Amino acid sequence: MPLQPLLDRWYAFLPLLLCLGLLGRRHGWARAGAYVALGWAVTFAAEWASSTGPGLPFGRYLYRAVALRHDWRVAGVPLFDSVSFLWLAWCGLTLTGALGARGWWRWLTAALLMVGLDVGVDPVALRGRHWWLGQIYRYPQGGPWYGVPLSNYAGWALVALVLVALAAGCTRGPLRPGAPGDRWARGLAAALVAAVLGQDLVLGVRLGIAPSALVSLGAVLVALGLARAARPATDGPVAPELIVACALAREAAAIRRSGGWRAVRVPAGGPATWRRGAVALWVTGMGPAAARAAAAGCPAGAVVLVAGVAGACRQGWRTGEVALITAAVDESGAEIPLDQGLVSTLAAAGVGRPARVAAVAGPVDRRAERAAWAARGADLADLETAAWAGSGPGLRLAALRVVLDTPDRPLGAAGGLVPLGAAGPAPARVWRLLRSPQALAALWRVAGDARRAQLALGPAVAAAVAALVRPQPAAGDARPSAAGPRA
């Protein structure tokens, strides 16, 4: 029966299908497919190299073909074994994120959780002849941990970090409309991890290796404890004095290099948020729709500084140059005003060269498009500033942009890497770009320009924040308020 392996190894394939379905519903089927394809390529390469190749990264082990004759195999590697890594990595990333870990700490604790699970899984699987798994593999040289070599766990740590990074990239950005909430993801991840631990404990006791299951449970609890220990602070009901809004995660990362920012947990679907004193930093996603959605979530009367990169529409601008946006310009050439009190405050502080920005709905890269917007009076083009400015009179808005591309140095193929609504490049688009030598060369050039723009963005925003936010008062004084007269 062609599908018999799917039924026999349901404990590996069913969790993968559940996670894949939830990933697709929440983040899009292209992202879910990219994670499975890229992640499986990593795990297959690692298992093949360890069992058939040089014995890295897990150490040398051998699959028993006779025990796997009814399984799906690729170059001798059983499919059910290699796909198990994928849903374990997603579970680890989901649980550590739910407990509050962020950034590289979330990756490390998720990888530690995966290694902790394998502390119990591998000794039990190695004794598969005593239960329904079967004796599917062996370590020729044995090992000190109930027959498992320590190199296996070093390999697990390495592969786990790669898979967690892939999962993080494919789940970054806002959820799809109508997507299942975080409770579904957390509940599924917790149930799958609990099932693995429970199976290891029951079989460990039965096989006489209960300490391996207990150590595995302890390691998983340590990983979850470390994730919770690093959870971001919550700021309670106090609204920030100033919101710095970035479309892309890389823009926000450039701003956070100044230090002192702490991640803040937000409701499902809200923008990723960091806080430093009275200032909040948001990552909203790229495009006008994402900007309008973020503006709708701002408190009444909020002071917002839109910050990020932009493209130059006319000659005379260079990569890394800072622009203070004075107004947005629509297709008719009419101005969409920003808060002139805030603009005057920033201009007095010498933050950036005055510029007007085009109200574009999509990327503007061709020289003719740039020239058409320049003829309407626009100096730069970006996708979010005009959408923020047109979101109603309840916001006080200023904008700061750093030039990334110019008419003489366009984005080219790299301009389509980030989908509208996303906060970073889509893996599938990156993969398509990497297959073209010409596009790869363009990406290399744009990456250098982006680095220069990001290096300029952080200090520029820091200077703008210092101009807009008054110093913190002494204890017992009233809360500070944003500088600059109301327009």
Side-chain angles (χ1 to χ4, degrees), residues 312 314-319 321-323 353-355 379-380 403 406:
R314 62 176 79 247
Q315 301 289 346
W317 292 88
R318 65 183 187 279
T319 298
E321 189 171 4
V322 180
R353 171 182 168 186
D379 302 287
L380 309 178
V403 176
T406 67

Side-chain angles (χ1 to χ4, degrees), residues 180-202:
D182 287 348
R183 287 186 178 181
W184 285 92
R186 295 167 182 174
L188 178 59
L192 291 176
V193 169
V196 173
L197 290 171
Q199 174 185 274
D200 287 348
L201 185 58
V202 171

Side-chain angles (χ1 to χ4, degrees), residues 74 85 108 146 177 217 223 233 298 305 315 326 336 357 375 418-419 453 463 470 482 487:
V74 179
F85 284 78
L108 287 179
Y146 297 98
L217 175 61
C298 287
L305 174 66
Q315 301 289 346
T326 58
I336 305 172
V357 69
V418 182
R470 294 173 184 167

Side-chain angles (χ1 to χ4, degrees), residues 39 67 124 137 143 153 179 187 195 236 274 337 339 354 453 485:
V124 167
Y137 73 107
Y153 299 109
W274 289 263
D339 187 294

Side-chain angles (χ1 to χ4, degrees), residues 209-482:
I209 54 170
S212 69
L214 294 175
V215 172
S216 175
L217 175 61
V220 169
L221 292 177
V222 166
L224 296 177
L226 290 173
R228 183 169 178 79
R231 68 187 185 278
T234 56
D235 292 276
V238 178
E241 178 185 352
L242 172 67
I243 297 171
V244 179
C246 298
L248 303 179
R250 292 296 298 272
E251 295 168 341
I255 294 170
R256 298 200 311 274
R257 288 195 187 100
S258 58
W261 296 93
R262 284 187 61 83
V264 177
R265 279 183 285 185
V266 296
T273 303
W274 289 263
R275 190 79 179 254
R276 187 174 69 180
V279 182
L281 174 62
W282 287 7
V283 178
T284 63
M286 189 179 80
R292 285 190 289 269
C298 287
V303 178
V304 179
L305 174 66
V306 179
V309 297
C313 293
R314 62 176 79 247
Q315 301 289 346
W317 292 88
R318 65 183 187 279
T319 298
E321 189 171 4
V322 180
L324 171 61
I325 306 304
T326 58
V329 179
D330 65 18
E331 290 188 346
S332 68
E335 287 194 355
I336 305 172
L338 278 63
D339 187 294
Q340 293 306 304
L342 300 180
V343 172
S344 298
T345 299
L346 294 176
V351 180
R353 171 182 168 186
R356 301 199 303 173
V357 69
V360 298
V364 172
D365 199 43
R366 293 199 300 266
R367 186 180 289 269
E369 293 176 310
R370 296 175 191 259
W373 278 106
R376 298 182 183 106
D379 302 287
L380 309 178
D382 75 69
L383 293 169
E384 296 82 30
T385 301
W388 276 95
S391 295
L395 300 179
R396 301 186 61 201
L397 186 73
L400 203 64
R401 292 288 176 176
V402 176
V403 176
L404 169 59
D405 50 291
T406 67
D408 296 327
R409 293 179 69 85
L411 295 174
L417 284 179
V418 182
L420 291 179
R429 297 190 181 192
V430 174
W431 176 248
R432 287 197 297 268
L433 192 65
L434 294 179
R435 293 185 296 178
S436 167
Q438 290 182 336
L440 187 59
L443 178 62
W444 181 263
R445 174 182 58 78
V446 172
D449 290 344
R451 175 67 176 167
R452 286 191 288 274
Q454 288 161 5
L455 288 175
L457 179 62
V461 171
V465 168
L468 294 175
V469 178
R470 294 173 184 167
Q472 295 288 336
D477 290 349
R479 286 185 71 248
S481 58

